[in-house]
Amino acid sequence: MRQLQSLSDDYYYKRDMLDSALLGYSILANACFERKLEGDDLGMSTYGNYMLGVFYSEKLQDYPKAMGYFLQANDMAEQAGFKHIGAHIKQDIANIEHIYQLMTNLGNDTLSLQRQKEVFKAAYEAREWDAFVPAFANMLSDATATSTTTGLEEEIELFLKAEIPDTTHGLHFARKTMEAYRSICSEDYEHALQCFTELTHYTESNCYKHKQYGQMALRNKLNLYYRLNRTEDALALMDTIIEVGKRDNDHEALFNSFLRLFQYYDKIGDTIAAKEYMLLTYIEKDNLMQGSNIKDVGLVKFAHKLHRANEEIRLLAYKRRMQQRVLWSVVAFAVIVIGFALALCYNYRQVKRKNRELYQRNLDLLASDDEKHLLLSKARKQNVTDENTPGMTDDARRQDLLLSIITVMESSEEVYTDSFTLDRLSELVGERPYLVSQVINEQRHCNFYALLGEYRVKEACRRLNDHEHYGQLTIEAIAQSVGFKSRSNFVTTFKKFTGLTPSVYQRMGRK
């Protein structure tokens, strides 16, 4: 499993082969459901769930799905005592939870500081500095946004005594932010503003994490302006934050900025400007809610809590008789879960049955084609001696030409090169292109390219089924090997002729 983990990381971080990485991480994650895992194998399965969460969070911004995997990985890490990866998991959960709270509570996340403290302590216990430093910076930022900057003395002391390697990502930012925070506590606001200003250069970096730090520095500076009632400076800085947000397509930064402006103009009684920024606030909220499905994070958390509650209740029921009130709760919950599970199971079985039927039908068609190929070869040999017979009818000649065409399509490897054309087919059968095209249209009721796609898809099916010779190839590689230039064209053509996508067909073949 460790080799699979290394290979999946290589696909994800170095080769950018996301489909292969997703498959590898899925195999690691699902291993825990196939058999009881212990030790290193359990750690690899936990890592697989964690990386699936990272994949859906970073690459697809599908936060509900990411949250589901993070929660599963967190449960596994806590049960097995994996503190190192557990710190990173808690950090990612906290980040998604923060975005969710901002969206659902219109910029208000009162629990963010508490969540970051939990991540901070967990990371320190595990000596996982790559999670420890960002959590510390987030805590300082959350504390700066409050009206009173107190309550982090213990965390600052812990940070100062921690032996953090100088190469840790974000360490300079965290130290400078701490310097600014201490200046605020001692009411040296100008020095704090100077520290935040120095950190805003991170917004010009090409690194995604550095840009996040830059946005955090801008927010910290803005919060300090509000604390000092320097409204004009705050509004000017807001323009900069909006400009950077638009440049980086950062909808969260734009949402927070427009919300702040709406609240400001609403407070001073400028209803026109307030309405304008209220509209922009809801536009950015919709962009975040729709693009990332962030609204469903609460449902995922709720379902996860229900699942954990069910497990706890099941254990209690095994050890002792539960009270009547708890029993009825379990019964009601079980009915809901079973009904939902039965519906999912029914739909899954229907899809699975249909896929099996389509897969079997394609296998039968391939076998039938092989038999037809043998018969056509025999027919072609019988017709070779008669093809130049003076008394041969035009229909017979067309039938003979069709046999030649099919023979080439089924036996020539040139068919699977991306340079194969109608002209080349005409050369191989010894007829003019227009006549070859006419025979294909009349006899097969399709054009040359449709016929070519059909034979390429059939060969792709054979190769997807041939695990011995082609099992190490990706779907993209197999598509290219039979002459398709793009994955999208291959998928469309494949589904047209088989009724299944290549990935589903390959999965059915493996089963």
Side-chain angles (χ1 to χ4, degrees):
M1 290 182 71
R2 184 165 291 279
Q3 291 180 346
L4 179 58
Q5 178 245 324
S6 300
L7 183 61
S8 300
D9 285 345
D10 186 58
Y11 285 143
Y12 185 80
Y13 290 110
K14 296 180 180 179
R15 303 190 192 180
D16 199 30
M17 297 172 61
L18 300 183
D19 284 350
S20 298
L22 183 61
L23 176 61
Y25 292 137
S26 297
I27 294 174
L28 289 173
N30 292 328
C32 65
F33 301 110
E34 298 172 359
R35 65 183 190 278
K36 185 176 181 180
L37 300 177
E38 296 179 353
D40 190 57
D41 286 346
L42 181 58
M44 291 297 98
S45 185
T46 304
Y47 180 78
N49 276 283
Y50 168 67
M51 284 307 300
L52 286 174
V54 172
F55 177 88
Y56 282 103
S57 176
E58 291 185 355
K59 300 300 182 182
L60 301 181
Q61 284 76 54
D62 189 342
Y63 293 126
K65 208 161 192 176
M67 179 64 90
Y69 284 115
F70 284 143
L71 291 173
Q72 175 67 25
N74 187 59
D75 287 347
M76 296 171 69
E78 288 182 349
Q79 291 171 9
F82 298 139
K83 293 184 178 181
H84 288 276
I85 192 172
H88 288 282
I89 296 169
K90 285 180 170 59
Q91 179 69 71
D92 285 305
I93 291 175
N95 291 339
I96 295 178
E97 180 68 20
H98 176 65
I99 297 173
Y100 172 71
Q101 292 296 334
L102 289 179
M103 292 301 100
T104 54
N105 297 323
L106 280 181
N108 185 25
D109 184 9
T110 56
L111 299 178
S112 178
L113 180 58
Q114 183 59 38
R115 286 194 298 270
Q116 293 300 333
K117 283 186 176 182
E118 292 173 1
V119 175
F120 178 80
K121 292 180 180 179
Y124 180 76
E125 290 178 3
R127 300 301 191 269
E128 194 62 33
W129 308 122
D130 286 334
F132 178 77
V133 170
F136 183 66
N138 288 332
M139 275 194 310
L140 294 172
S141 180
D142 289 337
T144 303
T146 61
S147 57
T148 57
T149 48
T150 56
L152 293 184
E153 293 80 5
E154 180 182 345
E155 286 76 13
I156 291 176
E157 183 180 353
L158 201 61
F159 180 80
L160 290 173
K161 77 175 185 180
E163 298 178 358
I164 309 172
D166 292 335
T167 56
T168 303
H169 193 279
L171 182 58
H172 170 263
F173 180 87
R175 286 172 174 170
K176 203 68 178 177
T177 304
M178 179 183 67
E179 182 181 340
Y181 175 82
R182 286 179 145 184
S183 296
I184 294 173
C185 292
S186 61
E187 298 186 359
D188 187 358
Y189 299 119
E190 290 303 320
H191 182 68
L193 287 171
Q194 181 182 351
C195 291
F196 289 143
T197 301
E198 290 179 19
L199 294 175
T200 57
H201 74 277
Y202 278 94
T203 59
E204 305 302 323
S205 172
N206 292 325
C207 174
Y208 175 72
K209 290 186 177 180
H210 281 176
K211 286 183 178 180
Q212 288 184 316
Y213 286 139
Q215 281 284 4
M216 189 185 298
L218 289 172
R219 288 195 302 272
N220 292 338
K221 187 176 180 181
L222 179 65
N223 290 328
L224 186 52
Y225 276 146
Y226 274 109
R227 178 191 289 248
L228 301 176
N229 293 320
R230 292 169 57 171
T231 306
E232 294 299 325
D233 291 331
L235 292 175
L237 182 59
M238 200 86 72
D239 291 336
T240 301
I241 295 175
I242 292 173
E243 181 182 346
V244 173
K246 289 180 178 179
R247 183 196 67 191
D248 297 337
N249 199 27
D250 189 341
H251 293 293
E252 182 184 351
L254 293 174
F255 167 79
N256 288 322
S257 301
F258 292 144
L259 179 61
R260 282 280 184 91
L261 288 170
F262 159 68
Q263 293 170 342
Y264 168 73
Y265 285 112
D266 183 60
K267 183 178 180 180
I268 65 175
D270 189 340
T271 57
I272 296 177
K275 288 181 179 179
E276 177 184 351
Y277 284 109
M278 180 179 68
L279 177 61
L280 291 173
T281 299
Y282 280 104
I283 288 175
E284 292 304 324
K285 180 181 178 181
D286 287 342
N287 287 336
L288 280 165
M289 297 287 275
Q290 295 175 5
S292 61
N293 294 323
I294 191 69
K295 62 182 181 299
D296 295 332
V297 167
L299 296 177
V300 173
K301 290 177 57 185
F302 178 70
H304 181 72
K305 288 179 179 179
L306 286 179
H307 175 73
R308 295 190 66 174
N310 184 48
E311 289 298 313
E312 292 175 2
I313 291 172
R314 186 181 61 82
L315 291 175
L316 288 173
Y318 178 77
K319 294 178 180 179
R320 63 181 181 179
R321 292 181 177 274
M322 296 190 306
Q323 297 178 358
Q324 190 70 20
R325 181 180 177 183
V326 176
L327 179 61
W328 283 111
S329 298
V330 173
V331 171
F333 176 76
V335 169
I336 294 173
V337 171
I338 291 172
F340 185 66
L342 287 175
L344 287 178
C345 184
Y346 176 77
N347 290 333
Y348 173 75
R349 287 184 176 180
Q350 289 292 97
V351 172
K352 190 174 180 181
R353 180 184 60 80
K354 182 179 178 182
N355 287 343
R356 281 201 303 266
E357 291 175 355
L358 287 171
Y359 179 75
Q360 188 58 47
R361 187 188 71 180
N362 282 286
L363 289 181
D364 294 341
L365 287 174
L366 289 176
S368 176
D369 283 346
D370 291 338
E371 294 177 2
K372 289 180 181 179
H373 178 59
L374 293 174
L375 295 175
L376 288 172
S377 297
K378 293 179 180 179
R380 177 62 182 158
K381 290 178 181 180
Q382 293 173 358
N383 289 341
V384 167
T385 57
D386 299 330
E387 63 182 358
N388 294 317
T389 303
M392 194 175 187
T393 65
D394 185 60
D395 287 343
R397 291 182 183 279
R398 288 176 180 272
Q399 285 294 329
D400 184 68
L401 176 55
L402 178 63
L403 288 176
S404 299
I405 292 171
I406 293 176
T407 300
V408 170
M409 297 300 291
E410 293 187 347
S411 60
S412 176
E413 288 296 322
E414 288 188 51
V415 173
Y416 310 124
T417 62
D418 57 12
S419 60
F420 189 72
T421 62
L422 177 61
D423 291 338
R424 180 54 182 159
L425 175 60
S426 302
E427 291 179 19
L428 293 174
V429 299
E431 282 292 352
R432 287 164 292 181
Y434 85 88
L435 184 57
V436 173
S437 178
Q438 186 180 32
V439 168
I440 292 173
N441 284 319
E442 291 177 354
Q443 301 297 326
R444 296 300 294 262
H445 306 292
C446 63
N447 59 29
F448 164 74
Y449 292 104
L451 182 68
L452 180 61
E454 177 183 347
Y455 277 94
R456 285 177 172 176
V457 167
K458 289 179 181 177
E459 180 60 23
C461 289
R462 293 187 181 95
R463 296 185 183 187
L464 286 170
N465 288 327
D466 189 354
H467 305 301
E468 181 180 354
H469 299 95
Y470 299 98
Q472 78 281 7
L473 296 182
T474 63
I475 290 175
E476 289 86 348
I478 290 178
Q480 292 174 1
S481 73
V482 295
F484 287 96
K485 295 182 179 180
S486 70
R487 177 186 173 90
S488 60
N489 184 30
F490 173 61
V491 172
T492 301
T493 307
F494 192 95
K495 191 169 184 179
K496 175 183 176 182
F497 285 105
T498 66
L500 300 168
T501 62
S503 57
V504 172
Y505 187 92
Q506 186 183 55
R507 186 162 60 249
M508 297 293 294
R510 286 175 177 169
K511 289 182 180 179

